[in-house]
């Protein structure tokens, strides 16, 4: 799969791009039609009213793909590493999907969606689908639509889905709740030993990748990370994060990264952690959908009198906000 249509007549391709026929789109996506995959993800991103139908049609194909998250600060080489990982996975015969999340402007809402520029090596490979997605102001390094987009790629037959986050810093931890395996990329010269023990992004890593390992300071960075790992308390049999060196721009160390991912996958399966993580992911997804629905219903109250009336009572001290919230939820039947 890629952004060009494989043996699809122009008229049919155009109809797929505009279609809201969910069974047809899923059937075409399963057959490897990239236009159908693109259309399904667009429906997901836009929150189209057919989204529940899309989710229902994709449900039988969920849980078959390995989801790998890549995160780290800007400039550590996430897109280059993703590009090389795609190459290694394709050499194994895997079908690969990539979701590259780009930051959106807080003023215009626009995004460059430029991460895929670094992955043009795979533009003509029918076994690879690359999609850039705007974060649309969503915090945590992902887009709100990312979980459902992963389901689309699973439904399209991808064996591995790589999710590359925005790259915003130490608070970018949401990818850990989405991925089976989370890679945290670092580079020499991007912080001292204190950075290595800060809470946040470094605590979510299953595998640490010290990229640009040919630079001065790479050994110190590896030592700092290993020291941080040694400080952590782990019981017998618990996973100990791996530390791998790479020079992604030269394709070096990519096999070691792939081997570390394989080792973690084996551990997840042996200890039942893979199922636990996926159930936790499903629970978070259900909760997010329910909260979104509730938020929409509350938003609809702004056109009525109930919410403004309660707000006025809270502002004048006649009612406390918790009591007002309880009354509002009662009105919603929640």
């Amino acid at each position: 799969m890629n952004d060009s249509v494989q043996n699809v007549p122009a008229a049919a391709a155009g109809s797929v791009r505009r279609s809201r026929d969910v069974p047809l789109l899923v059937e075409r996506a399963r057959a490897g039609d990239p236009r159908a995959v693109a259309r399904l993800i667009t429906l997901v991103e836009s929150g189209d009213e057919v989204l529940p139908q899309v989710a229902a049609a994709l449900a039988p194909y969920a849980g078959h793909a390995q989801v790998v998250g890549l995160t780290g600060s800007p400039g550590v080489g996430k897109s280059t590493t993703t590009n090389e990982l795609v190459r290694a996975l394709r050499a194994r015969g895997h079908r690969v999907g990539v979701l590259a999340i780009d930051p959106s402007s807080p003023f215009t809402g626009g995004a460059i969606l430029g991460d895929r520029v670094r992955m043009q090596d795979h533009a003509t490979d029918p076994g690879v689908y690359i999609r850039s997605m705007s974060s649309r102001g969503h915090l945590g390094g992902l887009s709100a639509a990312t979980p459902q987009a992963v389901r689309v790629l699973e439904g399209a037959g991808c064996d591995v889905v790589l999710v590359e986050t925005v790259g915003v810093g130490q608070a970018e931890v949401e990818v850990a709740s989405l991925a089976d395996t989370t890679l945290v990329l670092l580079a020499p010269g991007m912080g001292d030993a204190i950075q290595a023990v800060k809470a946040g992004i470094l605590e979510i890593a299953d595998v640490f990748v010290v990229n640009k390992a040919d630079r001065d300071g790479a050994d110190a960075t590896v030592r700092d990370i290993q020291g941080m790992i040694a400080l952590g308390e782990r019981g017998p049999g618990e996973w100990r994060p791996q530390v791998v060196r790479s020079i992604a721009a030269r394709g070096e160390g990519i096999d070691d990264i792939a081997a570390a991912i394989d080792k973690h996958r084996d551990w997840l399966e042996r200890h039942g952690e893979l199922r636990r993580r996926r159930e936790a992911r499903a629970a978070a997804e259900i909760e997010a959908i329910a909260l979104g629905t509730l938020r929409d219903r509350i938003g609809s109250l702004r056109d009525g009198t109930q919410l403004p009336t309660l707000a006025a009572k809270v502002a004048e001290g006649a009612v406390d906000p918790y009591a007002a919230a309880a009354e509002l939820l009662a009105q919603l039947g929640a």
Side-chain angles (χ1 to χ4, degrees), residues 33-300:
D33 181 349
R35 299 290 188 190
V37 178
R39 180 59 178 157
L40 286 169
I41 294 180
T42 296
L43 292 173
V44 166
E45 283 194 283
S46 63
D48 193 279
E49 62 182 19
V50 301
L51 184 52
Q53 298 175 44
V54 173
L58 293 172
Y61 312 111
H64 302 298
Q66 182 179 11
V67 183
V68 179
L70 296 93
T71 190
S73 300
V76 296
K78 294 189 298 298
S79 295
T80 305
T81 301
T82 300
N83 184 65
E84 294 303 316
L85 269 177
V86 171
R87 194 187 312 280
L89 292 166
R90 288 296 292 143
R92 297 181 178 186
H94 294 314
R95 297 180 74 178
V96 184
V98 178
L99 296 174
I101 316 301
D102 279 302
S104 57
S105 167
F107 303 104
T108 66
I112 296 176
L113 304 180
D115 280 342
R116 63 185 299 160
V117 172
R118 298 185 179 92
M119 305 178 203
Q120 288 303 302
D121 295 350
H122 311 289
T124 59
D125 187 343
V128 179
Y129 183 88
I130 301 171
R131 173 78 172 221
S132 286
M133 299 175 65
S134 168
S135 65
R136 301 193 180 192
H138 187 76
L139 301 179
L142 299 179
S143 161
T146 306
Q148 287 298 325
V150 168
R151 290 184 180 275
V152 171
L153 294 180
E154 285 184 314
C158 290
D159 302 300
V160 182
V161 178
L162 303 177
V163 181
E164 180 191 331
T165 69
V166 168
V168 294
Q170 291 169 326
E172 190 176 310
V173 297
E174 189 174 339
V175 67
S177 65
L178 176 70
D180 300 324
T181 299
T182 302
L183 310 185
V184 172
L185 276 68
L186 306 126
M190 300 194 73
D192 56 18
I194 300 300
Q195 294 296 106
V197 296
K198 282 187 176 181
I201 190 172
L202 298 186
E203 293 185 337
I204 68 172
D206 298 307
V207 178
F208 287 101
V209 178
V210 179
N211 191 33
K212 306 182 182 181
D214 53 339
R215 290 185 176 181
D216 292 339
D219 291 341
T221 301
V222 171
R223 285 196 303 271
D224 290 341
I225 296 302
Q226 290 175 333
M228 182 200 72
I229 293 172
L231 291 174
E233 295 183 3
R234 292 177 180 82
E238 288 190 31
W239 175 254
R240 181 183 177 88
Q242 306 288 290
V243 184
V244 181
R245 300 171 187 245
S246 69
I247 309 173
R250 299 208 297 253
E252 297 178 12
I254 303 302
D255 288 341
D256 294 334
I257 297 173
I261 294 171
D262 290 342
K263 185 175 181 180
H264 185 244
R265 173 64 179 247
D266 291 341
W267 178 85
L268 289 172
E269 292 178 339
R270 286 199 317 273
H271 291 80
E273 182 68 10
L274 183 62
R275 179 172 181 174
R276 189 201 68 79
R277 288 192 180 196
R278 291 185 172 181
E279 288 178 352
R281 182 194 312 168
E285 194 173 351
I286 294 168
E287 182 181 20
I289 292 170
L291 288 174
T293 302
L294 187 60
R295 202 173 291 119
D296 289 342
R297 291 170 65 184
I298 290 175
S300 68

